[in-house]
Amino acid sequence: MENELLEKFKSALKAENMKFTPQRLSVLSEMVNNKEHRECEQIYMALRNADVNVSRATVYRTMDILVTHNFARKIDIGDGRARYETKINHPHHDHMICINCGEITEFVSDEIESLQDDICHQNGFKLIRHIHQLFGRCQKCND
């Protein structure tokens, strides 16, 4: 893991009055090295399956810090279960979410991004961030 990322993580923990531990570092590493959209429980199980001795509470608390400090994104797809994805070395994208099976497909559209920028400019609105999620049925569920 690169030193700059490690120092940012240590600073984020310090800002939250939390200690830097190997377990918390493992949570960060698991997020950085996986581009999937996963629930905390899935992240916890991946760590346990890799023989990392970490508690669920540590995973949940660390994920909150990763979201707060822009290491990870929390995704709400309307089913009451939060998913997380890394923001480290993972450029901006939007999501198509299947309301039937829950599959999340990432996509990038320069046209949509440009249209959003134009609409904001026309309305004197300064865009800070956005979340674009399309809900429908994936091809497998449509067949």
Side-chain angles (χ1 to χ4, degrees):
M1 184 173 301
E2 65 186 64
N3 279 341
E4 184 181 343
L5 177 60
L6 192 57
E7 290 308 313
K8 285 182 181 179
F9 183 57
K10 287 179 179 179
S11 293
L13 289 170
K14 187 174 183 179
E16 301 294 332
N17 294 316
M18 297 180 87
K19 292 180 182 175
F20 175 79
T21 65
Q23 292 82 3
R24 290 192 179 112
L25 179 59
S26 295
V27 175
L28 174 66
S29 295
E30 179 65 25
M31 284 304 297
V32 169
N33 295 318
N34 190 307
K35 304 292 187 221
E36 295 177 35
H37 307 91
R38 299 179 296 165
E39 298 174 45
C40 273
E41 186 65 18
Q42 292 170 307
I43 296 164
Y44 168 74
M45 290 309 298
L47 289 166
R48 295 299 298 212
N49 289 338
D51 292 325
V52 176
N53 187 17
V54 62
S55 71
R56 278 184 176 88
T58 296
V59 172
Y60 278 81
R61 281 195 295 266
T62 305
M63 289 309 302
D64 285 343
I65 289 166
L66 294 179
V67 169
T68 299
H69 292 271
N70 288 316
F71 294 92
R73 176 180 294 110
K74 185 176 183 178
I75 304 169
D76 178 2
I77 66 168
D79 64 357
R81 298 178 353 228
R83 269 70 162 195
Y84 299 86
E85 69 177 347
T86 186
K87 289 178 86 173
I88 307 300
N89 300 322
H90 197 55
H92 172 75
H93 58 273
D94 296 308
H95 297 105
M96 291 183 286
I97 301 158
C98 180
I99 60 172
N100 194 47
C101 71
E103 179 180 332
I104 300 172
T105 304
E106 296 178 356
F107 72 96
V108 174
S109 169
D110 292 336
E111 290 176 85
I112 290 174
E113 296 300 319
S114 178
L115 183 58
Q116 289 171 163
D117 292 342
D118 290 347
I119 291 169
C120 289
H121 179 74
Q122 291 166 14
N123 290 281
F125 187 81
K126 182 180 178 187
L127 182 64
I128 305 300
R129 63 183 174 87
H130 78 274
I131 300 167
H132 190 78
Q133 298 179 146
L134 304 174
F135 293 87
R137 288 193 177 83
C138 68
Q139 188 168 2
K140 287 182 277 182
C141 292
N142 249 345
D143 292 339

